[in-house]
Amino acid sequence: MDMKKLAAALIPDGDLLPVEEYEKIYPERTRAPKAEVTRLAPSPTGFIHLGNLYSALADERCAHTTGGIFYLRIEDTDEKRRVDGAVESVIRSLKYFGIDFDEGAEIDSPLNVYGPYYQRRRAKIYRAFVKDLIERGLAYPCFCGEDELNAVREAQTAEKKTTGYYGEYAKCRNLSEEEIYNNLAAGKPYVIRLKSQGSIENKILFRDAIKGEVTVTENDQDVVILKSDGIPTYHFAHAIDDHFMRTTLVIRGEEWLSSLPVHLELHKVLGFKPPRYAHTSSLMKMDGGTKRKLSKRKDPELSLDYYRKDGYYPVAVVKYLMTLLNSDFEEWSLKNPEADWRSFKFRIEKMSRSGALFDLDKLNDVSKTEISKLSAEGCYEFLKGWVDEFGTDADRAHFADRQYITQILALIMGVGGKKRRKDIERAAQGVRLIDYFFDDTFSPEYAYRFGKDTVNAVLDAFIKVYDPADDNSAWFAKVKAIAPEVGFAAEMSDFKANPENYKGNVSDVAEILRIAVTGMPNSPDLCTIMRILGKDRTLARLEAGKI
């Protein structure tokens, strides 16, 4: 059979370059010997999840800790799944978490010389290599329709054979020249398949950058490399793209291990040295005492939108994921609490070989710690950013008064104290935490532990002596002074010695005042809260707090 003639009939494009030309168009990158070139290669579906961030963080760290390049490639071979704005969403979502690309799709960079970075725009490159494989007898047309393929699959299942298109089941593998041209003349649609040279009798010992030595069975499947619409499959396109974008390390989920034999064979028949592959373990969670993979359907925390809408501090999310990515990051972080997380020496060899357990409670603790490190002004900027995007109209009105909010945050965070408070876990919760500082969002429950007469007596007594100019010492001295007037012990020692003589102690008096002013039995320093609220608002609340 004249393979050049067949290739021209199957791939009739007259403007394809000889495949060797692409080595000149996309030369090897100039880089240090150990510098890694990594990529994130999502489909433009609009949904970017925690697993993408987990992988992107590993890619970015491997590239940038070695002085290499991290780029964005969009694998848009499946046009049906495309969502408008998806690429921008990927870039925006990752940027929110501090992960930037050096080059790639929609990235304005002088390094963009290995594009196009959209696979559909690289169709001629793929078709040139498909044509070359046909000419070399390593690929062929397949005219099998869906019904025929289903029948083959059913027969294999009945015979308890491996399903797929291979060996005796590859019906179009050995079509005669006459049969092929008759099918073409009849206008029968076709795909192009790889003519696999492998055998399941052979094993391949493969060195995974994370999992170490892995043994896989050689591929014997005649996989589709070019679909009937002239667009390549993911398997074929990624092999060509990784080679000509000069990718050195591909980090991907362990679900791709089953495709590894196909990818290794594709690189071999194309004459390419494969990049190093690193297969990450799945993100797991505890569910009813058992571990399972995080699920798009079951777990809202898998979506990155979950963290933005709830207002997680982005550095906290990244630092928590770093503890999952590298086993020694947490210890390093404890020893270097003020250091930029990027200064940690990330090593792919330290990535977990088994499932990484994602614990939302632990993330919440990390988020509290990271937010507590902010200045009041820094916390204001973080919360205002969330309010602008997700807050209510009332929230936006409140945050228009920067000075007032900053005073509140300095108190809530314990700025200036011996130890920072960790009351703010995330923006959505932190903004609600300060609602009581505003009359339009102040909704007290007045859950007093004492009766009407006692509560009203305490409030009346304090109203008479309250002075907003008092410092904390003078303020507390007045609370102690009114305690005996209303039947409470001014000193804790007196109450402990003779509790039957008192309604309670001075801390109970303070609690009544606190509930009236804030609506809660617990809060930061009440004297400072009153000072921030101002005299008129404080007195109004003390009056309104009466039963």
Side-chain angles (χ1 to χ4, degrees), residues 291-430:
K291 279 186 185 180
R292 66 166 174 80
K293 287 174 65 174
L294 281 171
S295 159
K296 291 180 185 179
R297 184 171 55 85
K298 295 180 180 179
D299 305 309
E301 67 268 33
L302 188 61
S303 169
L304 287 192
D305 282 345
Y306 173 88
Y307 302 95
R308 295 196 65 189
K309 288 177 181 176
D310 241 19
Y312 278 88
Y313 190 52
V315 170
V317 177
V318 169
K319 291 185 79 168
Y320 176 61
L321 288 179
M322 286 289 288
T323 67
L324 302 182
L325 284 167
N326 261 198
S327 56
D328 52 348
F329 178 80
E330 187 170 12
E331 181 182 354
W332 174 89
S333 189
L334 289 172
K335 290 180 179 177
N336 303 277
E338 303 305 319
D340 188 321
W341 62 271
R342 294 177 180 84
S343 62
F344 171 73
K345 186 66 175 176
F346 184 87
R347 289 172 291 171
I348 195 166
E349 298 81 9
K350 284 287 186 179
M351 288 182 67
S352 173
R353 295 185 180 190
S354 57
L357 185 61
F358 182 79
D359 185 341
L360 197 59
D361 289 337
K362 189 165 184 180
L363 169 58
N364 291 338
D365 288 340
V366 174
S367 192
K368 286 179 183 178
T369 298
E370 292 304 313
I371 291 174
S372 74
K373 295 177 184 178
L374 297 173
S375 64
E377 293 78 9
C379 190
Y380 170 83
E381 292 295 341
F382 167 59
L383 295 181
K384 186 176 186 301
W386 181 86
V387 162
D388 287 346
E389 189 170 0
F390 300 106
T392 65
D393 289 341
D395 294 334
R396 284 184 278 275
H398 297 166
F399 273 76
D401 191 340
R402 182 188 187 102
Q403 184 177 5
Y404 185 61
I405 294 284
T406 304
Q407 284 185 75
I408 295 169
L409 293 176
L411 168 66
I412 296 290
M413 300 172 70
V415 175
K418 292 182 180 180
K419 190 175 181 180
R420 286 292 186 93
R421 296 175 64 98
K422 296 182 179 181
D423 293 354
I424 302 177
E425 181 180 278
R426 49 203 158 75
Q429 168 262 346

